[in-house]
Amino acid sequence: TWGGHRSHTIKKADSVLKIDDEAIDLLDAAFAHIASFAFLGVRKLRIEIGESVMIAGMGILGAFAVQIVGLSGAIPVVVSDLDPRRRNLALRLGADAAFSPDEENFVEKVKDATGGAGPNAVVEVTGSAAALQQALEYIAWEGRISLLGCTRISDVPIDFYKYVHRRGISLIGAHTFTRAKQESAPGRWTEHDDYRTFLKLVSADKLQVRPLISEIVSPEAASDVYGRLAEMKQPPLGIVFDWTKIR
C-alpha cells in the first residue's frame, strides 16, 4: 500500500499483506486499499443494529460505505447523489432510498424516509461544505456525522450553535491518519485489519466490487485517466490499472 503508481516498489515487511489468490480474485483484491477508507468512515460512527444511516455522495467510497453500513445493521439506508446512475447503483447495492440533493424538499424527503426524525448517522463523502450543511439540517437529534470526504473549502457559512451545539450533533473526523497503528479497538481498526475484513467479505460474496468497476485500462493510459477524473463533472466510478496490459 501507498506504493505509488509504479510497476514495483520496495516496502518493509510490516507494511504489506499477503493475499490468498486462491480465495479471492486479484481484480477484487485490488480494491482493498480504497475500500479501507470507507470502512474507517463507517466504523467511526459506531452504528447499532436498527439505526438509520445516510450516505451523502455515491462515488467509489460511498458505494462501499452503502454496503458496509448495511452489513453493520443499519436500516433504512438512504443515499444522496446528483447522478441518477449512481443513485440506481446505490439501490442495487442495498440502499432503501436514493435522492438527489438538488431536488425539491430534499431535507423533508430524507426525514420522511427515516421515519420523520432524520438519520441517526451520516457518512459525508462529498467533501462539500454545502452537503455538510444539508446533513446538519436533516440529521436526527444527537446524530453523528462522519467526515469521510475532505471538506477543504469552507465556502458555506454554518451556524454551529443552531445545527451542532444546540442539537448535540457529533462531527467526527475520519481521516486515515486517525487510524490505530498497532492494535484494533472498537471504532478504531488498523488498516491491515480492514484489508483482512474486506477480503473475507468479498470472498464470502457479502461485499460487491464488480458493479463499481467502470474501466480496466493499461497504466500507460494513466495521464488520460487522471485528466478525466480531474475535469469530468461525473467521472467514471472505478478504474483499474491492469499491469499485464503494458505493451
Side-chain angles (χ1 to χ4, degrees):
T1 62
W2 303 106
H5 287 70
R6 306 180 181 94
S7 60
H8 62 278
T9 187
I10 298 174
K11 303 289 286 185
K12 293 190 298 182
D14 61 0
S15 67
V16 298
L17 180 71
K18 189 178 187 308
I19 296 168
D20 181 358
D21 57 8
E22 294 182 1
I24 183 170
D25 191 290
L26 293 181
L27 177 58
D28 298 312
F31 284 80
H33 185 54
I34 192 69
S36 72
F37 293 92
F39 275 97
L40 173 66
V42 173
R43 289 193 192 281
K44 289 269 189 174
L45 292 171
R46 308 282 190 96
I47 295 167
E48 295 191 12
I49 295 172
E51 287 194 299
S52 55
V53 178
M54 160 67 92
I55 309 297
M58 263 298 293
I60 195 164
L61 294 183
F64 279 121
V66 165
Q67 300 179 73
I68 297 167
V69 299
L71 291 167
S72 302
I75 187 167
V77 176
V78 184
V79 305
S80 65
D81 197 278
L82 292 166
D83 188 338
R85 295 168 299 177
R86 294 188 177 188
R87 296 198 299 272
N88 289 333
L89 174 62
L91 296 172
R92 287 169 49 202
L93 295 175
D96 299 292
F99 303 105
S100 176
D102 63 354
E103 62 186 81
E104 188 176 358
N105 300 320
F106 168 69
V107 170
E108 288 72 21
K109 289 178 180 178
V110 172
K111 289 183 176 180
D112 288 343
T114 53
N120 301 111
V122 177
V123 183
E124 208 304 296
V125 201
T126 71
S128 163
L132 175 57
Q133 173 62 53
Q134 281 187 324
L136 290 169
E137 292 175 19
Y138 59 63
I139 195 168
W141 190 273
E142 294 187 317
R144 297 101 65 203
I145 300 176
S146 170
L147 300 176
L148 179 56
C150 294
T151 312
R152 298 173 184 267
I153 303 174
S154 302
D155 54 351
V156 174
I158 295 175
D159 186 335
F160 284 94
Y161 174 75
K162 179 180 179 180
Y163 292 108
V164 180
H165 181 62
R166 182 175 172 274
R167 302 185 69 240
I169 304 302
S170 298
L171 297 178
I172 306 167
H175 194 283
T176 192
F177 286 173
T178 65
R179 280 190 178 277
K181 302 302 180 185
Q182 302 298 331
E183 295 184 2
S184 294
R188 297 185 70 251
W189 281 44
T190 66
E191 198 169 55
H192 277 197
D193 280 347
D194 272 340
Y195 295 160
R196 294 185 183 96
T197 301
F198 167 83
L199 295 171
K200 287 188 289 186
L201 288 171
V202 173
S203 180
D205 293 325
K206 294 185 176 181
L207 193 65
Q208 298 185 65
V209 170
R210 300 302 172 97
L212 282 57
I213 299 176
S214 304
E215 302 173 32
I216 300 176
V217 301
S218 167
E220 294 170 323
S223 178
D224 171 67
V225 166
Y226 282 109
R228 286 188 289 138
L229 291 175
E231 296 167 8
M232 290 179 66
K233 188 174 182 180
Q234 295 294 341
L237 190 64
I239 300 179
V240 178
F241 289 137
D242 183 346
W243 294 91
T244 68
K245 292 183 179 230
I246 295 178
R247 293 190 297 272

